[in-house]
Amino acid sequence: MSFRSLSRGLRTLTGVLVVVFVLGVLAIAPVIPIMVAAADTVDTTREQLIDRPPLPEDLPVAAEISTVHEASGEPIAELSGVERREPVDLAQVPQVLIDAVLAIEDDEFFEHNGVNHQSVLRAAARNLAAGGIEEGASTITQQYVKMTLLGPEQTMDRKLHEVVWAVELEQRLDKHDILERYLNAVYLGDGVYGVGTAAQHYFNKPVGELTLAEAAALAGAIQAPSTTNPVANPEAATSRRDLVLRQMRAQGRIEPEEAEEAMDEELVLDVQEEEVAEPFWIDYVKRLIYDEAMTLQPGLQEAIGETRQERVDALFEGGLRIHTTLDPALHSQANETLAAYLDDPENDPLGSIITVEHDTGALRALALGPRQFGPCPEDLDDDEPCLTTQVNPAMPDAGGSGRQSGSAFKPFVAAAALADGFDRDEEYDSPSGEPIEECGEVGQDYEPRNFDDADAGEIDLVEAMQRSNNVYFVKLARDVGVERVVEVAREHGLVASPSLDGFGSRSCSIALGTAEIFPLEMAAGYGVWANEGVYCAPYLIERVEDRFGEVLYEHEDRCERVVDEDVAQEMRSLLQEPVSSDGTAPVVGSQVENARGKTGTTQNFVDAWFVGYAGPYSTAAWIGFEQPTPLTDITIGGTYHDRVTGGAVPAPMWADYMAAILD
């Protein structure tokens, strides 16, 4: 055995012996000389003396805040669970903070080997007198082992474990690495972990800009963070700060006048509460990653973690960088336009503007209002309205079940007909209220009515699309086949609407948009015709990187041809009609160049839509109350409506928005 090995073993055993003495387990003392003689390494000491497993090979990585980014890469939100952490390199930590922490927590950190034997002996007398462990003497290394590997319980077994692992850790890592890990792991109160996060949270500045007084206040919170952090108890925080400053002065780390000047300073906070920008978007992004019920992006969850808990841990503690498709310019314009039409969260209906880039499927804007995202306050009076919502009717798996699309569904009937060989010259007589054979329940007449009971006579597909004639499209759906219409709608991306499965061969009302559809899928479905017959599945998350920049997931476009190009071309031609001067949405044609689209108004005026496309974007605009209620005898945005149609509010809203983003 070499002298160096024996010396190393003796140092380790000395630390263990001191702790054993403190804990009152002196029965082990007689065997210590034998162990010293045999000990060649700390591993031998550990195994033969106190039978402890080795320090884990993979040390835990400190939890780190994840960030969500918009399309250009700029961050828009931070995600954290109970623990908020934003790690920093030791080089970013100012010397004044390092000195403050060492002064109050471990002034001999750079001298000991993981256990400070003298400190343990000083605490021993007090603990023996008290008959139990009342005072600790843990070094920074021991504290790090306890907080990341063992836990807080005060037992003899845990303390022995802590000591041995602290010595092992010092043999594996250098002092600066241990100090950096400690400073990023330590709890500093108010849900904040690590000095970098604490500097931003309490003082709204990078850790490198902390003053002496601020650094001392953070160091002072380490011992009892829940009761001495600056938010919970400013007086206690100030008292602890001053204690740290006196320790720094006594140890020669600062000059006496520096200490006095810092103690004279008032503890001024600039607390930064966590705010979530774009809450509807962020909520959806989070659940796409961890919630197995979310199916919009296949393969995403598997790339992040096998289990829900693994994905939750990665999302809130793993330092993920989540790059999304959100276009801030389009999204801001969508919110601005929506607010111009719907500005009263107590009385106005909900509305949404949702935009998809039709040749990729990228979701570029998602505006919902006028209610803000969030739960209803618990202290609401019984007669007080809730002005928030956690339901996002525009998106699948967001609390809603879709909304009836009314006449905005008619283009899918037309697409099915054209795909099956019908042409635009197909004519039907279309009197309002006429019983239609082979539709409705057997034995009962099905008598659809046209808007305002208009009787258009014999018309073709072009005129029917322009006028949004109900009877025509009911007859067309019957002749194409309801099941075929459902099939084509599914091919166009209307896959999250379970109500479509309930339409049988006689359910001709499907032509009038009685199925509940999500605005996202309506926008993507219309994008097929703009994209030459190719459907691109919508998505929100472009790429996910881990904390080291390694790509965990990268979206691959899911695009496929669902109708022939000639069908798509015919559909583009047909969808000129509703936005023409004689159509149901002339405001769109007059404001937006090369726009195509269709209005939608449901039975009893419960929902109103305009869906269409122009340029590279396909957009759905929708309004309706969260609890379906007729939009009749109502004032919206200062304008009275005896009844709201797709052409009355959604169409001009769509036109204003699209004109602005395409300008």
Side-chain angles (χ1 to χ4, degrees), residues 115 152 505 548 589 614:
V115 179
S505 61
F548 306 111

Side-chain angles (χ1 to χ4, degrees), residues 24-25 122 127 150 160 199-200 203 239 267 325 371-373 410 494 546 556 624-625 628 643 660 662:
V25 286
R122 284 195 298 269
N127 290 338
L150 292 175
L160 287 169
Q200 288 287 356
F203 303 112
S239 177
L267 185 60
T325 59
R371 294 186 179 185
Q372 297 299 307
F373 180 82
K410 289 173 181 173
L494 278 58
D546 67 15
E556 294 182 0
F625 284 100
R643 56 190 184 180
L662 295 173

Side-chain angles (χ1 to χ4, degrees), residues 414 418 423-424 426 460-465 472-473 476 574:
L418 293 170
D423 61 41
R424 58 194 288 135
E426 192 74 31
D460 61 15
L461 181 54
V462 176
E463 189 173 353
M465 188 69 77
Y472 182 97
F473 279 97
L476 184 61
L574 285 172

Side-chain angles (χ1 to χ4, degrees), residues 640-654:
Y640 173 77
H641 301 268
D642 61 342
R643 56 190 184 180
V644 176
T645 65
V649 177
M653 185 165 69
W654 189 98

Side-chain angles (χ1 to χ4, degrees), residues 23-44:
L23 296 175
V25 286
L26 297 177
I28 200 170
V31 302
I32 288 177
I34 300 172
M35 304 306 297
V36 171
D40 183 53
T41 66
V42 71
D43 294 335
T44 305

Side-chain angles (χ1 to χ4, degrees), residues 180-196:
E180 178 177 292
R181 288 168 177 261
Y182 173 80
L183 292 174
N184 282 318
V186 67
Y187 181 51
L188 292 162
D190 214 28
V192 173
Y193 288 75
V195 295

Side-chain angles (χ1 to χ4, degrees), residues 480-619:
V480 172
V482 172
E483 292 93 341
R484 175 59 177 153
V485 172
V486 170
E487 180 184 14
V488 169
R490 295 287 196 206
E491 291 171 350
H492 281 66
L494 278 58
V495 295
S497 172
S499 66
L500 276 175
D501 295 332
F503 286 84
S505 61
R506 298 181 65 90
S507 302
C508 305
S509 65
I510 192 172
L512 307 183
T514 52
E516 295 174 331
I517 310 294
F518 294 99
L520 171 67
E521 295 190 329
M522 290 291 286
Y526 272 53
V528 169
W529 307 313
N531 199 31
E532 307 291 344
V534 175
Y535 167 72
C536 292
Y539 70 101
L540 286 76
I541 296 179
E542 196 76 64
R543 185 175 75 259
V544 180
E545 300 168 355
D546 67 15
R547 69 177 73 200
F548 306 111
E550 292 293 322
V551 176
L552 301 178
Y553 167 85
E554 189 154 18
H555 173 76
E556 294 182 0
D557 290 347
R558 294 184 294 130
C559 300
E560 62 176 328
R561 176 167 300 283
V562 296
V563 293
D564 292 338
E565 288 186 38
D566 58 345
V567 172
Q569 184 176 349
E570 281 283 7
M571 288 302 302
R572 291 196 297 274
S573 176
L574 285 172
L575 289 175
Q576 291 181 90
E577 300 302 326
V579 302
S580 68
S581 58
D582 296 322
T584 55
V587 64
V588 170
S590 65
Q591 285 188 225
V592 184
E593 187 176 359
N594 296 320
R596 305 286 189 273
K598 181 73 183 73
T599 53
T601 308
T602 65
Q603 190 172 17
N604 298 323
F605 304 95
V606 169
D607 297 276
W609 298 69
F610 186 85
V611 187
Y613 54 85
Y617 304 119
S618 181
T619 295

Side-chain angles (χ1 to χ4, degrees), residues 115-327:
V115 179
N116 189 328
H117 310 144
Q118 296 302 317
S119 295
V120 174
L121 287 171
R122 284 195 298 269
R126 294 191 183 98
N127 290 338
L128 288 173
I133 299 176
E134 286 197 351
E135 179 177 329
S138 296
T139 64
I140 279 176
T141 311
Q142 288 175 262
Q143 291 181 49
Y144 176 74
V145 167
K146 179 174 70 173
M147 72 176 69
T148 61
L149 293 169
L150 292 175
E153 64 272 16
Q154 287 278 60
T155 66
M156 295 180 185
D157 183 74
R158 200 275 298 157
K159 194 68 178 178
L160 287 169
H161 216 150
E162 174 191 303
V163 168
V164 174
W165 277 7
V167 176
E168 285 192 70
L169 185 64
E170 294 249 355
Q171 292 183 358
R172 184 183 300 182
L173 303 177
D174 66 35
K175 289 283 189 179
H176 293 91
D177 193 359
I178 293 171
L179 183 59
E180 178 177 292
R181 288 168 177 261
Y182 173 80
L183 292 174
N184 282 318
V186 67
Y187 181 51
L188 292 162
D190 214 28
V192 173
Y193 288 75
V195 295
T197 315
Q200 288 287 356
H201 178 70
Y202 291 122
F203 303 112
N204 192 25
K205 61 174 62 175
V207 67
E209 297 179 10
L210 289 175
T211 66
L212 170 60
E214 291 165 346
L218 292 187
I222 293 174
Q223 188 177 88
S226 297
T227 56
T228 61
N229 76 72
V231 169
N233 193 333
E235 290 184 4
T238 301
S239 177
R240 285 288 296 173
R241 178 200 69 179
D242 292 349
L243 174 61
V244 172
L245 291 167
R246 289 193 294 272
Q247 289 285 88
M248 295 177 74
R249 179 182 60 193
Q251 295 170 18
R253 297 178 188 272
I254 56 175
E255 298 297 326
E257 55 270 22
E258 290 180 287
E260 292 301 322
E261 183 178 340
M263 283 189 279
D264 287 340
E265 287 184 23
E266 181 182 354
L267 185 60
V268 179
L269 304 181
D270 186 4
V271 176
Q272 297 301 295
E273 298 295 338
E274 184 177 6
E275 295 183 3
V276 178
E278 311 304 343
F280 286 105
W281 182 270
I282 299 303
D283 178 70
Y284 204 84
V285 166
K286 289 191 297 187
R287 292 192 301 109
L288 270 178
I289 286 178
Y290 74 77
D291 188 350
E292 56 272 9
M294 307 287 280
T295 58
L296 191 67
Q297 289 195 237
L300 170 62
Q301 294 183 4
E302 294 84 345
I304 306 302
E306 291 185 6
T307 68
R308 182 188 180 97
Q309 189 58 52
E310 286 178 354
R311 296 191 293 272
V312 168
D313 290 345
L315 182 64
F316 294 113
E317 299 181 356
L320 300 180
R321 304 295 178 258
I322 305 163
H323 296 267
T324 72
T325 59
L326 188 72
D327 184 314

